[in-house]
Amino acid sequence: MALRLADGTAWADTLARAAAAAPEAFDGDTLRNLVEGSWKSSGTPTPVRTPIDNTVLVNLPRLDGESARAAVAFAAAEHRDWAATPLAERKARVTEALDELTVNRDLLAMLLVWEIGKPWRLACADVDRALDGVRWYVEEIDRMLADGREPLPGPVSNIASWNYPMSVLVHAELVQLLAGNAVIAKTPSQGGAVCLSVAHALMRRAGLPATLLSGSGEELSEVLVRAPEIGAVAFVGGRSNGGKVAAALLDSDKRHFIEQEGLNAWGIWEFSQWDMLAKHLKKGFEYGKQRCTAYPRFVVQRELVDQFLDMYLPVVRSVRFGHPLAVGDDWTSGDPLPELDFGPLISGAKAEELRRKVDEAVKGGAVPLYRGRLDGAPFLDGQDTSAYVAPAVLLAPPGRSRLMHAEPFGPVDTIVVVDTEDELLAAMNASNGALVASLACDDEDKAAKLAVDLQAFKVGINKPRSRGDREEPFGGRGASWKGAFVGGDLLVEAVTVGAGDGLYGNFPEYSRYPTT
């Protein structure tokens, strides 16, 4: 049966809705930058493509370093005024922005579908988590600042990945604003620009001192990281770019929180509750594992490998992926949009890179237990599918392969077989630090003892762990995190200063961890 786009979801319709909601952010089919207090048509336009079918969505103007320096200087001046604004007024303005964002919730979610390929349900969850989370902070911020904590000396510079524009980036900015800081955000170059432009237009209308600019990471990093006016740097991304940010801060006492990926692992040891584990693993394929808390590695006790595969391979085969908006001719307005686990990866280049990693591992000796195919997935006739990757499972990736030590950031899992508890821990700690890890073990006391030696910020016993919401802290161990931890009270502490600050985090002088 031939498929078509669901009525009302075409990009032209979605872009028209976005331009109507935030006309100040658009110059025809080119976005503007929010700098020096207003939206400006400045920078060199660069086309932005959707991973769904590789068509051009909009043009994104890239600023040069000089323009970025002017934007930072203006943000610093705004910061001084905002830091002196009474908390009650800050709360009122953030709440006004939240109310407008809530009115436009479905538009923001549809923009995420087109810009980063999220299925509708997951795109809605991204927006909802941002708004619900910040509303919690509005209720709690008085308590968090009651001991006299003050805003940072300058604005917070946010450099975030493309995969969670709302629930990570916008959420963090709104909390930073609540705490009395002006904010600067760099638009992710790979996706989310239109969603973020609409969101920031609504934030700016509410009187919030927010700056949104785009440009080359190499060109803007010197300004957004090292400019003396910047009070803190918040980075979310990979270890390569995160390492460059950390290196740029070595000679600085600037507050920072640098979240980097790690190879998060499930350990399977003396375990029998397979139906329960199957539900967790199916949910783990959401968004094609393009998130920092995904679990792409399974470390399995040799005696349990056959039972694990009996449970696990049917789960992988049941994963649903394809075009997030493709429906049959019998679809009518009001029917739900496709219920998929994931759509495309963020780009055809990333998809090709992941396919090369799989081929490299197999040539090096990994055993392909399952390699899915695009055939039969829901796509439109003639659609470009270069960014789509079917699930794959490899047993025993060779030690020299990239999949052995690094996060694939896609729907590719690897399985390592072990015989002893020491081997289990060593294999789970393969990436020198992780954000999360989990142990599947019938004896929870034994699992808790094993968990002590796992180099992960959060460890789940018979359940996965995630970034968390509201009061839950978030950070990483080892090379997965540098600087202050965030989440719950820790996020506000990270973007404020107080007497005797002994922040939780990983610092050159010490590491201090909260209860998770």
Side-chain angles (χ1 to χ4, degrees):
M1 177 178 66
L3 301 178
R4 61 180 177 86
L5 281 178
D7 297 337
T9 68
W11 175 247
D13 298 333
T14 304
L15 182 61
R17 291 169 58 198
E24 63 268 43
F26 293 84
D27 183 2
D29 61 358
T30 300
L31 293 173
R32 293 183 170 123
N33 282 290
L34 175 55
V35 292
E36 300 181 59
S38 63
W39 292 91
K40 297 185 177 182
S41 298
S42 54
T44 304
T46 303
V48 175
R49 295 179 179 273
T50 173
I52 288 180
D53 59 13
N54 201 37
T55 54
V56 174
L57 297 179
V58 290
N59 290 301
L60 182 65
R62 293 174 173 253
L63 296 181
D64 58 22
E66 183 178 351
S67 299
R69 277 189 287 275
V72 168
F74 183 91
E78 281 198 310
H79 175 85
R80 290 189 287 272
D81 293 338
W82 183 247
T85 301
L87 178 57
E89 184 175 345
R90 300 201 305 259
K91 289 169 62 177
R93 292 195 196 179
V94 169
T95 299
E96 180 182 345
L98 287 171
D99 290 343
E100 287 303 308
L101 290 165
T102 300
V103 169
N104 288 277
R105 178 259 200 182
D106 285 2
L107 169 60
L108 295 168
M110 186 57 69
L111 289 169
L112 292 181
V113 174
W114 274 106
E115 292 192 87
I116 60 176
K118 279 193 175 180
W120 172 248
R121 173 178 59 85
L122 301 181
C124 290
D126 190 2
V127 179
D128 292 343
R129 284 183 66 192
L131 304 184
D132 293 346
V134 178
R135 290 192 188 280
W136 179 82
Y137 276 97
V138 171
E139 295 297 321
E140 299 291 330
I141 191 68
D142 292 87
R143 171 186 62 78
M144 295 177 180
L145 299 178
D147 62 352
R149 299 193 70 82
E150 297 289 339
L152 295 169
V156 181
S157 176
N158 294 271
I159 305 171
S161 182
W162 45 265
N163 52 346
Y164 287 91
M166 292 295 297
S167 63
V168 173
L169 180 52
V170 170
H171 175 278
E173 288 181 274
L174 289 171
V175 177
Q176 293 160 10
L177 287 157
L178 262 181
N181 303 287
V183 297
I184 302 167
K186 178 185 176 299
T187 306
S189 57
Q190 291 184 289
V194 183
C195 176
L196 288 170
S197 295
V198 172
H200 282 74
L202 301 177
M203 291 160 60
R204 192 78 204 185
R205 285 185 205 166
L208 298 177
T211 294
L212 179 69
L213 48 78
S214 60
S216 162
E218 288 190 9
E219 186 164 10
L220 298 191
S221 178
E222 178 71 18
V223 179
L224 298 182
V225 175
R226 292 186 56 85
E229 300 97 329
I230 297 295
V233 177
F235 173 87
V236 179
R239 289 194 181 183
S240 176
N241 289 332
K244 294 176 183 176
V245 172
L249 292 169
L250 279 177
D251 59 352
S252 166
D253 60 357
K254 194 170 293 182
R255 192 72 62 84
H256 59 279
F257 3 107
I258 301 175
E259 175 189 332
Q260 305 172 106
E261 83 265 14
L263 187 60
N264 308 314
W266 266 99
I268 318 295
W269 191 263
E270 297 178 359
F271 182 74
S272 63
Q273 304 168 64
W274 302 112
D275 289 344
M276 177 267 287
L277 185 58
K279 294 176 183 177
H280 290 318
L281 301 195
K282 176 64 181 297
K283 185 174 176 58
F285 272 97
E286 287 183 347
Y287 198 35
K289 301 203 173 188
Q290 295 179 98
R291 60 188 188 281
C292 63
T293 54
Y295 288 82
R297 168 64 50 79
F298 295 92
V299 182
V300 185
Q301 183 180 11
R302 189 177 302 275
E303 290 296 318
L304 298 178
V305 170
D306 56 340
Q307 298 174 62
F308 174 77
L309 293 178
D310 284 346
M311 173 278 300
Y312 172 70
L313 291 178
V315 168
V316 180
R317 293 188 182 101
S318 72
V319 169
R320 299 157 298 177
F321 66 95
H323 192 305
L325 301 171
V327 298
D329 284 335
D330 56 348
W331 189 91
T332 60
S333 179
D335 287 347
L337 289 169
E339 182 62 36
L340 301 175
D341 296 297
F342 62 91
L345 298 194
I346 191 58
S347 69
K350 287 294 183 183
E352 180 57 28
E353 179 184 352
L354 184 55
R355 285 189 283 265
R356 286 199 303 269
K357 289 179 180 179
V358 171
D359 292 342
E360 168 192 279
V362 171
K363 289 177 182 177
V367 179
L369 298 178
Y370 178 78
R371 283 189 280 191
R373 300 172 60 87
L374 299 186
D375 300 349
F379 295 119
L380 303 182
D381 287 345
Q383 175 194 331
D384 185 312
T385 60
S386 60
Y388 293 80
V389 175
V393 182
L394 304 182
L395 175 67
R400 62 184 178 277
S401 74
R402 289 177 287 176
L403 289 178
M404 184 62 185
H405 300 284
E407 183 181 26
F409 229 64
V412 174
D413 286 347
T414 53
I415 299 172
V416 175
V417 178
V418 295
D419 294 294
T420 68
E421 292 177 4
D422 286 345
E423 290 178 355
L424 173 79
L425 295 171
M428 292 184 70
N429 289 330
S431 67
N432 184 27
L435 304 174
V436 296
S438 288
L439 284 162
C441 181
D442 290 341
D443 185 341
E444 295 194 0
D445 290 336
K446 172 177 280 192
K449 292 177 182 177
L450 291 170
V452 172
D453 293 316
L454 290 175
Q455 293 301 304
F457 183 76
K458 296 181 183 180
V459 180
I461 306 299
N462 295 328
K463 65 179 181 181
R465 299 301 301 270
S466 67
R467 173 178 290 273
D469 294 302
R470 301 188 175 189
E471 68 273 6
E472 193 171 341
F474 188 57
R477 288 185 181 264
S480 68
W481 195 284
K482 297 183 185 298
F485 297 147
V486 296
D489 287 25
L490 301 191
L491 175 52
V492 172
E493 292 176 13
V495 297
T496 55
V497 293
D501 265 348
L503 296 175
Y504 290 97
N506 291 330
F507 302 97
E509 304 83 11
Y510 72 92
S511 290
R512 185 181 179 213
Y513 298 97
T515 301
T516 59

